[in-house]
């Protein structure tokens, strides 16, 4: 039986949301909005990005919190049929949230547990929150959602200490002997999601290899077939970033806490393309081919003289398009990268989370760059969020408790045909705060998740932003 969570929901007065109840089918996307025509002499996005003018800053919504108690029983059985909608775990047509708890523990919530919140016509519904997994994950990697067994519902895949699969977002998990250097992609284009895992064992005569587990999978984790291929010679594998909606993958070489060399998998082989530690796939120009952005994550090690990167790396993101063209170079971007179609025009947008300093201090800012036929457009729209600065009874938080706001995912949580940007604050308290934003950077929804012991304390904190 699922274990109970205490949840705080903030701001249900959401602009443009449906009146009530889940939709029976996904609405059609809004008509595409044509991008502005560049003025004569304007820089091509394939070259250095134009100098950014003053960005638009979106302000968060502050609202009175409303306490919500989730159901104590397990969720209703999923209604899986046909093709799985991206990120939809229960088959109702809305993307869902999968979140690994890393905050302080409450009576009913332990560090390292998987929490699931279902989407609805009003966005994410915290009243549906339930615990799906046991406390055995670090929460350092984001869950990946895709349909591994072909039943029409997405599954949650978490490449952490091992690779855990929660079928339709339900436990217990199927665990495979692969770790954080794993990911999902459709390598052979057969519409069955595959698992890729970079492995390297000291003394292994085969050296470093990429293991390919081809789907569909059985519920015991057995692939339809298995293969492998060598990794770049002489390189121990670092992180692996994959494309669940395409066939691509980016493999990073070893690093010492800073930016690393990146290889892009194209066809049967890897080719070295850039240096960085952030990467994401998407179709940014809308031509039907998958593109990839590789950039500076902002991470720096703490060795003397190593708090800077070369000008060709520092604050640089390169976008490699799926057709024959020079990569687009975006300057002044440091931090995480995420992608999704926020305005429903059929082109993915890029979200960069801003960081500063050699140890990647996260500022709470994110920049949204809109896709267009010419590529990603600058300047982007900047939105800033901050977590609570005080605990219950108004006591200021200590430095280690203040945490940071990060981009969590982009998905269509309300079924309107447009993705929304989901950001999260995680600090040294027994709650996590979420913001759901639209393409204009407006905050459409804010809510807190926490253990049931925290519910009373969270009520006092909910309006502090």
């Amino acid at each position: 039986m699922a274990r109970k969570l205490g949840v705080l929901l903030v701001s249900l007065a959401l602009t443009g949301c449906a009146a009530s109840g889940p939709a029976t089918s996904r609405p059609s996307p809004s008509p595409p909005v044509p991008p502005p025509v560049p003025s004569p002499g304007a820089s091509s996005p394939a070259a250095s990005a134009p100098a950014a003018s003053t960005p638009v800053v979106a302000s968060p919504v502050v609202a009175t919190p409303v306490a919500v108690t989730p159901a104590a029983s397990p969720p209703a059985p999923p209604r899986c049929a046909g093709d799985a909608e991206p990120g939809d775990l229960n088959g109702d047509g809305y993307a869902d949230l999968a979140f690994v708890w890393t905050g302080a523990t409450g009576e009913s919530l332990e560090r390292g547990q998987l929490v699931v919140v279902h989407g609805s016509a009003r966005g994410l519904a915290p009243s549906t929150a339930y615990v799906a997994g046991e406390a055995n994950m670090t929460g350092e990697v984001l869950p990946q959602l895709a349909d591994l067994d072909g039943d029409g519902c997405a599954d949650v895949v978490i490449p952490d200490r091992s690779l855990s699969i929660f079928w339709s977002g339900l436990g217990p998990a199927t665990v495979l002997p692969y770790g954080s250097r794993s990911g999902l992609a459709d390598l052979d284009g057969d519409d069955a999601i595959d698992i890729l895992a970079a492995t390297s064992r000291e003394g292994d005569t085969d050296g470093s290899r990429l293991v390919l587990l081809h789907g569909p999978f059985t519920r015991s984790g057995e692939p339809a077939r298995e293969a492998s291929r060598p990794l770049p010679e002489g390189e121990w594998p670092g992180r692996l970033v994959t494309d669940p909606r395409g066939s691509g993958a980016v493999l990073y070489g070893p690093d010492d806490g800073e930016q690393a060399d990146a290889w892009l998998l194209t066809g049967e082989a890897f080719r070295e393309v850039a240096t960085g530690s952030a990467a994401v796939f998407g179709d940014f120009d809308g031509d039907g081919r998958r593109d990839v952005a590789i950039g500076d994550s902002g991470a720096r090690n703490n060795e003397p003289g190593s708090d800077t990167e070369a000008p060709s790396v520092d604050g640089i993101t390169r976008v490699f398009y799926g057709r024959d063209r020079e990569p687009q170079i975006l300057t002044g971007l440091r931090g995480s990268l995420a992608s999704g179609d926020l305005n429903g025009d059929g082109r993915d947008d890029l979200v960069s989370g801003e960081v500063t300093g050699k140890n990647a201090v996260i500022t709470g800012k994110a920049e949204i760059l809109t896709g267009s036929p010419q590529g990603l457009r600058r300047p982007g729209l900047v939105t800033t969020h901050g977590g609570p600065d005080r605990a219950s009874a108004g006591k200021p938080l200590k430095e280690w408790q203040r945490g940071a706001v990060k981009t969590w995912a982009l998905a269509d949580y309300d079924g309107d045909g447009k993705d929304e940007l989901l950001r999260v604050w995680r600090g040294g308290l027994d709650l996590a705060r979420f913001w759901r934003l639209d393409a204009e950077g407006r905050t459409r929804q804010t809510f807190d998740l926490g253990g049931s012991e925290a519910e009373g304390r969270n009520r006092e904190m909910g309006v502090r932003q």
Side-chain angles (χ1 to χ4, degrees), residues 46-415:
S48 296
S53 60
T54 303
V56 180
V57 179
S59 301
V61 172
V62 179
T64 303
V66 178
V68 177
T69 302
S73 59
R79 304 188 300 270
C80 306
D83 294 332
E85 295 286 349
D88 179 12
L89 300 174
N90 61 350
D92 64 355
Y94 306 108
D96 304 311
L97 164 65
F99 177 73
V100 176
W101 181 255
T102 59
T105 59
E107 177 185 352
S108 60
L109 191 57
E110 298 178 24
R111 191 186 304 270
Q113 288 181 319
L114 174 65
V115 178
V116 172
V117 180
H118 286 148
S120 74
R122 290 184 177 272
L124 288 163
S127 61
T128 66
Y130 65 91
V131 175
E134 295 304 317
N136 57 1
M137 294 169 288
T138 68
E140 295 175 357
V141 295
L142 297 180
Q144 301 176 30
L145 278 61
D147 185 5
L148 291 186
D149 58 357
D151 67 348
C153 284
D155 309 301
V156 180
V157 179
I158 304 179
D160 204 297
R161 294 188 176 102
S162 54
L163 192 147
S164 300
I165 305 172
F166 296 86
W167 305 101
S168 299
L170 301 172
T174 297
V175 179
L176 301 183
Y178 303 101
S180 58
R181 295 190 292 263
S182 306
L184 307 178
D186 180 10
L187 279 178
D188 45 16
D190 63 353
D191 294 327
I193 296 295
D194 309 315
I195 294 176
L196 292 72
T199 64
S200 180
R201 296 182 178 89
E202 189 173 356
D204 190 339
T205 56
D206 289 336
S208 302
R209 303 192 64 79
L210 183 68
V211 176
L212 312 174
L213 307 177
H214 290 272
F217 292 80
T218 67
R219 286 293 178 99
S220 64
E222 289 292 326
R225 57 189 176 90
E226 183 175 344
S228 68
R229 64 180 59 166
L231 294 175
E233 185 176 354
E235 290 293 340
W236 293 77
R239 293 189 311 110
L240 182 69
V241 179
T242 57
D243 183 9
R245 301 190 186 184
S247 60
V250 171
L251 175 73
Y252 286 105
D255 66 78
D256 189 22
E258 72 287 90
Q259 306 309 293
D261 295 332
W263 282 265
L264 177 64
L265 177 63
T266 54
E268 295 292 321
F270 284 94
R271 63 184 178 96
E272 190 172 356
V273 289
T275 300
S277 282
V280 71
F281 289 86
D283 183 5
F284 303 116
D285 55 5
D287 67 352
R289 301 179 179 94
R290 302 298 287 172
D291 314 314
V292 62
I294 300 175
D296 178 6
S297 70
R300 305 288 188 267
N301 67 27
N302 57 5
E303 296 177 2
S306 60
D307 57 348
T308 60
E309 287 282 355
S312 60
V313 177
D314 188 22
I316 302 296
T317 294
R318 290 175 171 81
V319 185
F320 299 88
Y321 289 91
R323 50 194 168 95
D324 187 17
R325 58 178 287 188
E326 289 297 314
Q328 180 181 5
I329 299 176
L330 303 170
T331 61
L333 293 181
R334 298 173 66 190
S336 63
L337 296 174
S339 69
D341 184 4
L342 292 169
N343 57 11
D345 66 354
R347 306 178 190 97
D348 285 324
D349 310 306
L350 181 72
V351 177
S352 174
E354 183 178 340
V355 299
T356 184
K358 65 180 182 180
N359 294 322
V361 177
I362 300 172
T363 64
K365 293 182 180 179
E367 182 175 354
I368 302 172
L369 282 67
T370 304
S372 78
Q374 293 79 32
L376 292 165
R377 299 189 297 194
R378 302 288 302 278
L381 182 148
V382 173
T383 181
T384 302
H385 295 83
D389 56 8
R390 294 179 180 271
S392 57
K395 185 178 180 180
L397 297 182
K398 297 178 181 179
E399 185 67 30
W400 65 269
Q401 293 176 309
R402 292 178 182 173
V405 177
K406 301 180 181 180
T407 292
W408 188 255
L410 280 81
D412 186 5
Y413 299 107
D414 59 7

